[in-house]
Amino acid sequence: LFSPSLSTHTHTHTRSLFLPLKKQISPLFFFSSIDSKHFILNNLLPTYNLLGSDIIDLQLSIFGNASILNHQTQEIKCQHGKAECDANSYEQCLLYSYPHPFQYL
């Protein structure tokens, strides 16, 4: 009779073979853009809520149509003026203070 020996070797898996790998998504948007708001509310947010942070590593970046005038002084000129630059700065502080998207989406 054939008697297979039992293996004492165990396998450890850190991730199930059936789970997709986490994908990083880094959309750029700016405060006064209607298109950015539309994309976030109608596309990004529903997808993020459906798939969650186990699948999506969301890294929002706020910049918009701006020009860096001086790298040393970090002087920036925004397309829609100082108010847009200020709003983008406030949003950037929010993202820094609350690094997990579920805290602000």
Side-chain angles (χ1 to χ4, degrees), residues 11-17 19 21:
H11 297 281
T12 58
H13 298 283
T14 56
R15 180 179 273 284
S16 170
L17 296 175
L19 291 177
L21 297 175

Side-chain angles (χ1 to χ4, degrees), residues 32-95:
S32 60
S33 170
I34 293 172
D35 292 332
S36 290
K37 292 175 188 175
H38 182 279
F39 171 74
I40 290 170
L41 292 174
N42 296 313
N43 299 102
L44 183 61
L45 184 58
T47 303
Y48 186 76
N49 286 337
L50 177 69
L51 299 177
S53 61
D54 289 338
I55 303 297
I56 298 175
D57 178 15
L58 185 59
Q59 303 292 321
L60 295 176
S61 296
I62 299 166
F63 191 75
N65 191 2
S67 301
I68 300 173
L69 301 177
N70 187 324
H71 287 279
Q72 291 178 339
T73 63
Q74 298 182 351
E75 183 181 0
I76 297 173
K77 178 181 178 184
C78 292
Q79 178 184 12
H80 300 105
K82 184 176 178 343
E84 179 184 10
C85 281
D86 290 344
N88 288 341
S89 295
Y90 300 141
E91 287 182 336
Q92 196 64 45
C93 287
L94 174 78
L95 296 180

